[in-house]
Amino acid sequence: MARVTYVQPDGSERTCTNFEGMAVMHLAIANLVDGIDALCGGVRQCATCHVFVDDAWSARVGPPGPEEGEMLDALADFIEVKPTSRLSCQIHITEELDGLRVHIPKEQPGI
Ligand code: FES
């Protein structure tokens, strides 16, 4: 089991637990976490699952893959993107990520 804490822009937090292998996005959707809509269902087409990985976890989570990185670069013209930005559908929960914290952006891309 692994825990992920979702931090809202107002600082409120919610910790959800699930088995390894589930994407951080899927865990949020299953628990009705605000601010993650995941309109494409996890196939890197919408970016409405964008999160900022907590600085303390960024190295462990790692950087985006090439296609994810291109999408985040394109998003930067429309919304705030940080070096710790990731698409949460592309972060798969592992035992090493137990305790992961991600921050929900104030605004997500419009579709
Ligand atoms: Fe659409 Fe992640 S759910 S890009």
Side-chain angles (χ1 to χ4, degrees):
M1 299 290 274
R3 295 161 296 144
V4 177
T5 296
Y6 300 87
V7 184
Q8 294 293 334
D10 67 2
S12 61
E13 299 184 4
R14 179 127 172 253
T15 299
C16 303
T17 305
N18 214 303
F19 297 103
E20 294 173 42
M22 190 177 214
V24 169
M25 173 276 275
H26 284 121
L27 183 58
I29 294 295
N31 287 279
L32 304 176
V33 172
D34 285 340
I36 295 185
D37 294 330
L39 296 177
C40 77
V43 293
R44 285 193 315 254
Q45 296 296 311
C46 71
T48 60
C49 64
H50 172 221
V51 295
F52 305 124
V53 174
D54 192 274
D55 288 343
W57 286 89
S58 186
R60 217 173 308 177
V61 170
E67 291 178 21
E68 181 186 351
E70 283 177 20
M71 189 162 205
L72 290 168
D73 286 345
L75 268 186
D77 290 339
F78 305 101
I79 60 170
E80 182 183 22
V81 172
K82 299 180 180 179
T84 59
S85 286
R86 290 292 311 269
L87 299 178
S88 61
C89 65
Q90 303 301 307
I91 305 171
H92 294 278
I93 300 166
T94 62
E95 191 176 316
E96 292 72 34
L97 294 183
D98 181 28
L100 173 65
R101 292 171 65 82
V102 297
H103 299 263
I104 310 291
K106 273 191 195 135
E107 56 176 352
Q108 295 286 37
I111 298 292

